Amino acid sequence: MYSHVFVSVSDFERALRFYGAVMDSLGVELRFCERERPWAGWHSAGAARPFFVICKPFDGQPHHPGNGQMVAFAAASREVVGATYQAALENGGTCEGPPGLRPQYHDNYYGAYFRDPDGNKLCVACHAPPLAGA
């Protein structure tokens, strides 16, 4: 459905550390990183799109996170949700809702919510039932 998702940041190196850790925990590959620009983008293994991009605002104005906007990443398991949430917090993110079931969305919705160091709201969610024996 998406070509790409673009999130502006105020401190590129700080954002690169944060998103690098989050994407690594999700198994998402770095597609490009041009510090001189600065911008970086990630995509799923073996795929060209969709991809997720961080960059300073193109218009040169200061970054402002949007109220009510959120990017949600799919996780393969509930364990990946927890690991990604932990990676986010260990790399400057702040909690917006710890990992857990959110049955108001559907019976198997297991998600976590956090903000990046610039205040952009993110989610990581698994829509599958728990693994057998978990």
Side-chain angles (χ1 to χ4, degrees):
M1 173 185 268
Y2 296 104
S3 167
H4 59 282
V5 173
F6 187 99
V7 172
S8 74
V9 299
S10 63
D11 181 328
F12 180 76
E13 290 299 324
R14 179 182 69 184
L16 186 60
R17 284 188 302 276
F18 175 86
Y19 283 103
V22 166
M23 297 305 180
D24 284 348
S25 71
L26 289 168
V28 179
E29 297 178 349
L30 182 66
R31 180 175 179 189
F32 62 87
C33 179
E34 297 176 17
R35 284 180 161 88
E36 67 281 0
R37 224 172 158 169
W39 72 333
W42 293 261
H43 63 93
S44 298
R49 295 198 184 267
F51 65 97
F52 180 83
V53 180
I54 61 169
C55 186
K56 289 193 172 186
F58 184 75
D59 65 5
Q61 298 299 310
H63 162 81
H64 296 288
N67 186 28
Q69 297 176 5
M70 179 179 68
V71 175
F73 297 103
S77 69
R78 294 175 181 195
E79 292 75 22
V80 172
V81 169
T84 303
Y85 172 81
Q86 192 62 40
L89 297 187
E90 289 172 358
N91 287 277
T94 56
C95 176
E96 284 283 318
L101 283 170
R102 304 299 197 283
Q104 66 270 33
Y105 302 129
H106 65 74
D107 289 344
N108 290 315
Y109 187 102
Y110 189 90
Y113 300 86
F114 47 91
R115 290 190 184 266
D116 75 5
D118 282 300
N120 296 302
K121 189 170 181 180
L122 305 166
C123 170
V124 59
C126 176
H127 298 278
L131 298 174

